[in-house]
Amino acid sequence: MLSPPSCILRKKNLTVLRFLIVLVFSYIVNRKNLCYNHPFVSSTISSHPGSSIIPSSLETLRFDGYLSTENIDHAAKDFGNICHHLPSGVLYPKSVSDISSTIKFIFEMGGASELTVAARGNGHSLQGQAQAHRGIVMNMQSLEDAEMHFHKGKLPYVDVSAGELWINILYESLKHGLAPKSWTDYLHLTVGGTLSNAGISGQAFRHGPQIENVYQLEVVTGKGEVITCSEKQNPDLFYGVLGGLGQFGIITRARISLAPAPRMVKWIRMLYSDFSIFTEDQEHLISTEDSFDYIEGFVIINRAGLLNNWKSSFKPKDPLQASQFNSDGKTLFCLEVAKYFNPDESESENQKVNRLLSDLRYIRSTLFFSEVSYVEFLDRVHVSEMKLREKGLWEVPHPWLNLLIPKSRILDFAEIVFGNILTDTSNGPILVYPLNKSKWSTRTSLVTPEENIFYLVAFLSSAKPSSTGNDGLEHILTQNKRILDFCEAAHLGVKQYLPHYSSQKAWQKHFGSHWEIFARRKSAYDPLAILAPGQQIFRKAIASHNGSQFS
């Protein structure tokens, strides 16, 4: 028989052991639904997230679509392939009322339920923004069969479901000789997804981002209300939702501005070795009347045989000079431009193109041309996607970093980032091109640098699974952090596009003077913080057993 002190010691040891077991078990369970900050950890998805927190009364609501609690692992994945938060269920809505009744039900439960709701388009979020841990994910593409309604007139437009893909809008609008004016580089994204962010591509210098080309929205708020809004009708909600990261409502329909569509595109690339000349020429083009219709640029680091690779899609203006150009070991900057035209305008457009090119200071031996259809040009990234899918290289981690940088600091940024941090190679495209703030409304939720011209710099990296080298997730995330740390230390005035922060303090800093109105809109349209929990801006307040609130 043990002496009393020994018994006490044994009990204490057992208590400590039980505590450690519970702690370790909790840690393991929680890891299955977290967005990992440590890049070495490979995210996993739990097939059994534990007891569902969906009340049976919600499951008995009459839906035109259906609510599923099985085979929902896909809702814990996205294009970023870094964060995995498993929901309790996925709603496949066939009507807007399916969405509104679900949100209204959750809203009326108040703090008694921890259920949250995230709208998921085509799954191209980067950091779990469209996921809802133990909540409900709305599969917005279930609405995509809704008919598109075209209006022809002085100001043509199309009414579309928010779950519709931009590529489908392109094909349908072309049947009417029309097309949206502003695009993203990748068209297999949903309308609701891009309008909740901004929607930026090489046309934005002229037409603004996609959020500046919308006449009207239908939105389901965090209270379950279905509200039609526009510049004149419920304007506070209209501008709040545009670029609002899903915080104030779920976009269910949108009225998109259209314009006459061209049939062909003159697609041109040229190289620079001097970054300052490269940016000066870009700024000249976006400020020129009757300039190109699309202006982008990208950074090329130590790419052997670069111009030979272009020859599969482009023709050199001077084949002999192009064959003698050597890109090995160099950091180069490619200016990519496009001019839209119709076949009967080819000669006059050639003259415009030659005039525009004559003002530029590119390396003369590196001028390459191509003529393609309008659809082929706009859907160009999808071609690359198909090739990567064939090689099993599409569904890998994508630790992208998108920055908006003031014009006055772009040279400082390039000197350190392209001269110091990225020196040997890159793990994906690096886009660099200027935008005109005059084309961006100050009333939307999107925040940009203060200057009239700012640059989008996008590091579109892909990580090799299981790699611990320079192409691995840890290295790329560390590299991204070095870039962000430099921007912070140098006070560059940078804003993240497609932003990701893990604390409200960081979000407040991101929004700056716009935070007060952002928080006010949240209180007005989603007071319980039900919507878009994956953005990690606001947390839903949950009632404890004694009636108090915690978050």
Side-chain angles (χ1 to χ4, degrees), residues 75-137:
K77 300 177 182 178
D78 58 25
F79 179 71
N81 204 17
I82 297 171
C83 302
H84 300 291
H85 305 274
L86 193 68
S88 290
V90 175
L91 180 68
Y92 296 86
K94 290 298 180 185
S95 65
V96 175
S97 64
D98 284 353
I99 298 171
S100 63
S101 60
T102 300
I103 295 175
K104 185 177 182 181
F105 182 94
I106 296 171
F107 176 73
E108 290 177 346
M109 292 181 70
S113 169
E114 64 181 272
L115 277 176
T116 55
V117 173
R120 176 186 173 92
N122 205 21
H124 275 263
S125 295
L126 297 173
Q127 298 274 5
Q129 288 95 334
Q131 298 174 23
H133 174 46
R134 300 191 71 194
I136 295 176
V137 170

Coordinates of all heavy atoms in Angstrom, one line a residue, residues 75-137:
A75 N -14.7 21.8 -50.0 CA -15.0 23.2 -49.6 C -13.9 23.6 -48.6 O -13.9 24.8 -48.2 CB -16.3 23.2 -48.9
A76 N -13.0 22.8 -48.2 CA -11.8 23.1 -47.4 C -10.5 23.3 -48.2 O -9.5 23.3 -47.7 CB -11.6 22.1 -46.3
K77 N -10.7 23.4 -49.5 CA -9.6 23.6 -50.4 C -9.8 24.8 -51.2 O -10.9 25.2 -51.5 CB -9.4 22.3 -51.3 CG -9.2 21.0 -50.6 CD -9.1 19.9 -51.7 CE -9.0 18.5 -51.0 NZ -9.0 17.4 -52.0
D78 N -8.7 25.4 -51.7 CA -8.7 26.5 -52.6 C -7.5 26.5 -53.5 O -6.6 25.7 -53.3 CB -9.0 27.8 -51.9 CG -7.9 28.2 -50.9 OD1 -6.8 27.7 -51.0 OD2 -8.2 28.9 -50.0
F79 N -7.4 27.5 -54.4 CA -6.3 27.5 -55.3 C -4.9 27.7 -54.5 O -3.9 27.2 -54.9 CB -6.5 28.7 -56.3 CG -5.4 28.9 -57.3 CD1 -5.2 27.9 -58.3 CD2 -4.5 30.0 -57.2 CE1 -4.1 28.1 -59.2 CE2 -3.5 30.1 -58.1 CZ -3.3 29.2 -59.1
G80 N -5.0 28.5 -53.5 CA -3.8 28.7 -52.7 C -3.2 27.4 -52.1 O -2.0 27.2 -52.0
N81 N -4.1 26.5 -51.8 CA -3.7 25.1 -51.3 C -2.8 25.2 -50.1 O -1.8 24.4 -49.9 CB -3.1 24.3 -52.4 CG -3.2 22.8 -52.2 OD1 -4.0 22.4 -51.3 ND2 -2.4 22.1 -52.9
I82 N -3.0 26.2 -49.2 CA -2.2 26.4 -48.0 C -3.1 26.3 -46.8 O -2.7 25.7 -45.8 CB -1.5 27.8 -48.0 CG1 -0.6 27.9 -49.2 CG2 -0.8 28.0 -46.7 CD1 0.0 29.3 -49.4
C83 N -4.3 26.8 -46.9 CA -5.3 26.8 -45.7 C -6.4 25.8 -46.0 O -6.9 25.7 -47.1 CB -5.9 28.2 -45.5 SG -4.7 29.5 -45.3
H84 N -6.7 25.1 -44.9 CA -7.8 24.1 -45.1 C -8.7 24.1 -43.8 O -8.3 23.7 -42.8 CB -7.2 22.7 -45.2 CG -6.4 22.5 -46.4 ND1 -6.8 22.6 -47.7 CD2 -5.0 22.4 -46.6 CE1 -5.8 22.4 -48.6 NE2 -4.7 22.3 -47.9
H85 N -9.9 24.7 -44.0 CA -10.9 24.8 -42.9 C -12.1 24.0 -43.3 O -12.8 24.4 -44.2 CB -11.2 26.3 -42.6 CG -10.1 27.2 -42.4 ND1 -9.5 27.3 -41.1 CD2 -9.3 28.0 -43.2 CE1 -8.5 28.2 -41.2 NE2 -8.4 28.6 -42.4
L86 N -12.4 23.0 -42.6 CA -13.5 22.1 -43.0 C -14.8 22.7 -42.4 O -14.9 23.0 -41.3 CB -13.3 20.7 -42.4 CG -14.3 19.6 -43.0 CD1 -13.9 19.4 -44.5 CD2 -14.1 18.3 -42.2
P87 N -15.8 22.9 -43.3 CA -17.1 23.4 -42.8 C -18.0 22.2 -42.3 O -17.6 21.1 -42.4 CB -17.8 23.9 -44.1 CG -17.2 23.0 -45.2 CD -15.8 22.7 -44.8
S88 N -19.1 22.6 -41.7 CA -20.1 21.6 -41.3 C -21.0 21.2 -42.4 O -21.5 20.1 -42.4 CB -20.9 22.2 -40.1 OG -20.2 22.3 -38.9
G89 N -21.2 22.1 -43.4 CA -22.0 21.7 -44.5 C -21.8 22.6 -45.7 O -21.2 23.7 -45.6
V90 N -22.3 22.2 -46.8 CA -22.2 23.0 -48.1 C -23.6 23.1 -48.6 O -24.3 22.1 -48.8 CB -21.3 22.3 -49.1 CG1 -21.3 23.1 -50.4 CG2 -19.8 22.2 -48.6
L91 N -24.0 24.4 -48.9 CA -25.3 24.6 -49.5 C -25.1 24.8 -51.0 O -24.3 25.6 -51.4 CB -26.0 25.9 -48.9 CG -27.3 26.2 -49.4 CD1 -28.4 25.2 -49.0 CD2 -27.8 27.6 -49.0
Y92 N -25.9 24.1 -51.7 CA -26.0 24.2 -53.2 C -27.2 24.9 -53.6 O -28.3 24.3 -53.8 CB -25.9 22.8 -53.8 CG -24.6 22.1 -53.6 CD1 -24.4 21.3 -52.4 CD2 -23.5 22.2 -54.5 CE1 -23.2 20.7 -52.2 CE2 -22.3 21.5 -54.2 CZ -22.2 20.8 -53.1 OH -21.0 20.1 -52.8
P93 N -27.2 26.3 -53.5 CA -28.5 27.0 -53.7 C -28.9 27.0 -55.2 O -28.0 27.2 -56.1 CB -28.1 28.4 -53.3 CG -26.6 28.5 -53.5 CD -26.1 27.1 -53.3
K94 N -30.2 26.9 -55.4 CA -30.7 27.0 -56.8 C -31.5 28.3 -56.9 O -31.9 28.7 -58.0 CB -31.6 25.8 -57.1 CG -30.9 24.5 -57.3 CD -29.9 24.6 -58.5 CE -29.2 23.2 -58.6 NZ -28.1 23.3 -59.7
S95 N -31.6 29.0 -55.8 CA -32.3 30.3 -55.8 C -31.7 31.2 -54.8 O -31.0 30.8 -53.9 CB -33.8 30.1 -55.5 OG -33.9 29.6 -54.2
V96 N -31.9 32.5 -54.9 CA -31.4 33.5 -54.0 C -32.1 33.3 -52.6 O -31.5 33.5 -51.6 CB -31.7 34.9 -54.5 CG1 -31.3 36.0 -53.4 CG2 -30.9 35.2 -55.8
S97 N -33.3 32.8 -52.6 CA -34.1 32.6 -51.4 C -33.4 31.5 -50.6 O -33.5 31.5 -49.3 CB -35.5 32.2 -51.6 OG -35.6 31.0 -52.3
D98 N -32.7 30.5 -51.2 CA -32.0 29.5 -50.5 C -30.9 30.2 -49.6 O -30.7 29.8 -48.5 CB -31.3 28.5 -51.4 CG -32.3 27.5 -52.0 OD1 -33.4 27.5 -51.6 OD2 -31.9 26.8 -52.9
I99 N -30.2 31.1 -50.2 CA -29.1 31.9 -49.5 C -29.7 32.7 -48.4 O -29.2 32.7 -47.3 CB -28.3 32.7 -50.5 CG1 -27.7 31.8 -51.6 CG2 -27.2 33.5 -49.8 CD1 -27.0 32.5 -52.7
S100 N -30.7 33.5 -48.8 CA -31.3 34.5 -47.8 C -31.9 33.8 -46.6 O -31.7 34.2 -45.5 CB -32.3 35.4 -48.5 OG -33.4 34.7 -49.0
S101 N -32.7 32.7 -46.8 CA -33.3 32.0 -45.7 C -32.3 31.3 -44.8 O -32.5 31.3 -43.6 CB -34.3 31.0 -46.3 OG -33.6 30.0 -47.1
T102 N -31.2 30.9 -45.4 CA -30.2 30.2 -44.5 C -29.5 31.3 -43.6 O -29.4 31.1 -42.4 CB -29.1 29.6 -45.4 OG1 -29.7 28.6 -46.2 CG2 -28.0 28.9 -44.6
I103 N -29.1 32.4 -44.2 CA -28.5 33.5 -43.4 C -29.4 34.0 -42.4 O -29.1 34.3 -41.3 CB -27.9 34.5 -44.4 CG1 -26.8 34.0 -45.3 CG2 -27.4 35.7 -43.6 CD1 -26.3 34.9 -46.3
K104 N -30.7 34.2 -42.8 CA -31.7 34.8 -41.9 C -31.9 33.9 -40.7 O -32.0 34.3 -39.5 CB -33.0 35.0 -42.6 CG -34.0 35.7 -41.7 CD -35.3 36.0 -42.5 CE -36.3 36.7 -41.6 NZ -37.6 37.0 -42.4
F105 N -31.9 32.5 -41.0 CA -32.1 31.6 -39.9 C -30.9 31.7 -38.9 O -31.1 31.7 -37.7 CB -32.1 30.2 -40.5 CG -32.3 29.1 -39.5 CD1 -33.6 28.6 -39.2 CD2 -31.3 28.5 -38.8 CE1 -33.8 27.6 -38.3 CE2 -31.4 27.5 -37.9 CZ -32.7 27.0 -37.6
I106 N -29.7 31.7 -39.4 CA -28.5 31.8 -38.6 C -28.5 33.2 -37.8 O -28.2 33.2 -36.6 CB -27.2 31.7 -39.4 CG1 -27.2 30.3 -40.0 CG2 -26.0 31.9 -38.5 CD1 -26.1 30.1 -41.0
F107 N -28.9 34.2 -38.5 CA -28.9 35.5 -37.8 C -29.9 35.5 -36.7 O -29.7 36.1 -35.6 CB -29.3 36.6 -38.9 CG -29.5 38.0 -38.3 CD1 -28.4 38.7 -37.9 CD2 -30.8 38.5 -38.1 CE1 -28.6 40.0 -37.3 CE2 -31.0 39.8 -37.5 CZ -29.8 40.5 -37.2
E108 N -31.1 34.9 -36.9 CA -32.1 34.9 -35.8 C -31.7 34.0 -34.6 O -32.3 34.2 -33.5 CB -33.5 34.4 -36.4 CG -34.0 35.5 -37.4 CD -35.3 35.0 -38.0 OE1 -35.6 33.8 -37.9 OE2 -36.0 35.9 -38.6
M109 N -30.8 33.1 -34.8 CA -30.3 32.3 -33.7 C -29.3 33.2 -32.8 O -29.1 32.8 -31.7 CB -29.5 31.1 -34.2 CG -30.3 30.1 -34.9 SD -29.3 28.7 -35.5 CE -28.9 27.9 -33.9
G110 N -28.9 34.3 -33.3 CA -28.0 35.2 -32.6 C -26.7 34.5 -32.1 O -26.1 33.7 -32.8
G111 N -26.3 34.9 -30.9 CA -25.0 34.3 -30.4 C -25.1 32.9 -29.9 O -24.1 32.4 -29.4
A112 N -26.3 32.3 -30.0 CA -26.5 30.9 -29.6 C -25.8 29.9 -30.5 O -25.6 28.8 -30.1 CB -27.9 30.6 -29.4
S113 N -25.5 30.4 -31.7 CA -24.9 29.5 -32.7 C -23.5 30.1 -33.2 O -23.4 31.3 -33.3 CB -25.8 29.3 -33.9 OG -25.1 28.7 -35.0
E114 N -22.6 29.2 -33.4 CA -21.3 29.6 -33.9 C -21.2 29.5 -35.4 O -20.2 29.8 -36.0 CB -20.1 28.8 -33.3 CG -20.1 27.4 -33.6 CD -19.0 26.6 -32.9 OE1 -17.9 26.6 -33.6 OE2 -19.2 26.1 -31.8
L115 N -22.3 29.2 -36.0 CA -22.4 29.0 -37.5 C -22.0 30.3 -38.2 O -22.5 31.4 -37.9 CB -23.7 28.6 -38.0 CG -24.1 27.1 -37.9 CD1 -25.5 26.9 -38.3 CD2 -23.1 26.3 -38.8
T116 N -21.1 30.2 -39.2 CA -20.8 31.3 -40.1 C -21.1 30.9 -41.5 O -21.3 29.7 -41.8 CB -19.4 31.8 -39.9 OG1 -18.5 30.6 -40.1 CG2 -19.1 32.4 -38.5
V117 N -21.0 31.8 -42.4 CA -21.3 31.5 -43.8 C -20.2 32.1 -44.7 O -19.8 33.3 -44.6 CB -22.7 32.1 -44.2 CG1 -22.9 31.9 -45.7 CG2 -23.8 31.4 -43.5
A118 N -19.7 31.3 -45.7 CA -18.8 31.8 -46.7 C -19.3 31.5 -48.1 O -19.8 30.4 -48.3 CB -17.4 31.2 -46.5
A119 N -19.2 32.5 -49.0 CA -19.6 32.3 -50.4 C -18.4 31.8 -51.1 O -17.3 32.4 -51.1 CB -20.1 33.6 -51.0
R120 N -18.5 30.7 -51.9 CA -17.4 30.1 -52.6 C -17.8 30.1 -54.1 O -18.9 29.7 -54.5 CB -17.2 28.6 -52.2 CG -16.2 27.9 -53.0 CD -16.1 26.4 -52.6 NE -15.3 25.6 -53.5 CZ -14.0 25.4 -53.3 NH1 -13.4 25.9 -52.2 NH2 -13.2 24.7 -54.1
G121 N -16.9 30.7 -54.9 CA -17.1 30.8 -56.3 C -16.5 29.6 -57.0 O -16.9 28.4 -56.9
N122 N -15.4 29.8 -57.7 CA -14.7 28.7 -58.4 C -13.4 28.3 -57.6 O -12.6 27.6 -58.1 CB -14.2 29.1 -59.8 CG -14.1 28.0 -60.7 OD1 -14.6 26.9 -60.5 ND2 -13.3 28.1 -61.8
G123 N -13.4 28.6 -56.3 CA -12.3 28.1 -55.4 C -11.0 28.7 -55.7 O -10.0 28.0 -55.4
H124 N -10.9 30.0 -56.1 CA -9.6 30.5 -56.4 C -9.0 31.5 -55.3 O -8.1 32.3 -55.6 CB -9.6 31.2 -57.8 CG -9.3 30.3 -58.9 ND1 -8.1 30.1 -59.5 CD2 -10.1 29.4 -59.5 CE1 -8.2 29.2 -60.4 NE2 -9.4 28.7 -60.4
S125 N -9.6 31.4 -54.1 CA -9.0 32.1 -53.0 C -7.6 31.6 -52.7 O -7.2 30.5 -53.1 CB -9.9 32.0 -51.8 OG -11.1 32.6 -52.0
L126 N -6.8 32.4 -52.0 CA -5.4 32.0 -51.8 C -5.1 31.6 -50.3 O -4.2 30.8 -50.1 CB -4.5 33.2 -52.1 CG -4.5 33.6 -53.6 CD1 -3.7 34.9 -53.8 CD2 -4.0 32.5 -54.5
Q127 N -5.9 32.1 -49.4 CA -5.6 31.9 -48.0 C -6.8 31.5 -47.2 O -7.0 31.9 -46.0 CB -5.0 33.2 -47.4 CG -3.7 33.6 -48.0 CD -2.4 32.9 -47.4 OE1 -2.6 32.0 -46.5 NE2 -1.3 33.3 -47.8
G128 N -7.7 30.7 -47.8 CA -8.9 30.2 -47.1 C -9.9 31.3 -46.9 O -10.9 31.1 -46.1
Q129 N -9.9 32.3 -47.7 CA -10.9 33.4 -47.6 C -12.3 33.0 -47.8 O -13.2 33.6 -47.3 CB -10.5 34.6 -48.5 CG -9.3 35.4 -48.1 CD -8.0 34.9 -48.8 OE1 -7.9 33.7 -49.2 NE2 -7.0 35.8 -48.9
A130 N -12.5 32.0 -48.7 CA -13.9 31.5 -49.0 C -14.2 30.2 -48.2 O -15.1 29.5 -48.6 CB -14.0 31.3 -50.5
Q131 N -13.5 30.0 -47.1 CA -13.8 28.8 -46.3 C -14.5 29.3 -45.0 O -14.4 30.4 -44.6 CB -12.5 28.1 -46.0 CG -11.8 27.5 -47.2 CD -10.4 26.9 -46.9 OE1 -10.1 26.5 -45.8 NE2 -9.6 26.9 -48.0
A132 N -15.2 28.3 -44.3 CA -15.9 28.6 -43.1 C -15.7 27.4 -42.1 O -16.4 26.4 -42.3 CB -17.3 28.9 -43.4
H133 N -14.8 27.5 -41.2 CA -14.5 26.5 -40.3 C -15.8 26.1 -39.5 O -16.3 27.0 -38.8 CB -13.4 26.9 -39.3 CG -13.1 25.9 -38.3 ND1 -13.0 24.5 -38.5 CD2 -12.9 26.1 -36.9 CE1 -12.8 23.9 -37.3 NE2 -12.7 24.8 -36.4
R134 N -16.3 24.9 -39.6 CA -17.5 24.4 -39.0 C -18.7 25.2 -39.3 O -19.7 25.1 -38.7 CB -17.3 24.4 -37.4 CG -16.1 23.5 -37.0 CD -16.2 23.3 -35.5 NE -17.3 22.4 -35.1 CZ -17.7 22.3 -33.9 NH1 -17.1 23.0 -32.9 NH2 -18.7 21.5 -33.6
G135 N -18.6 26.0 -40.4 CA -19.8 26.8 -40.8 C -20.4 26.2 -42.0 O -20.3 25.0 -42.3
I136 N -21.0 27.1 -42.8 CA -21.7 26.7 -44.1 C -21.1 27.4 -45.2 O -20.9 28.6 -45.2 CB -23.2 26.9 -44.0 CG1 -23.9 26.1 -42.9 CG2 -23.9 26.7 -45.4 CD1 -25.3 26.4 -42.7
V137 N -20.7 26.7 -46.2 CA -20.1 27.2 -47.5 C -21.2 27.2 -48.5 O -21.9 26.2 -48.8 CB -18.9 26.4 -47.9 CG1 -18.5 26.9 -49.3 CG2 -17.7 26.6 -47.0

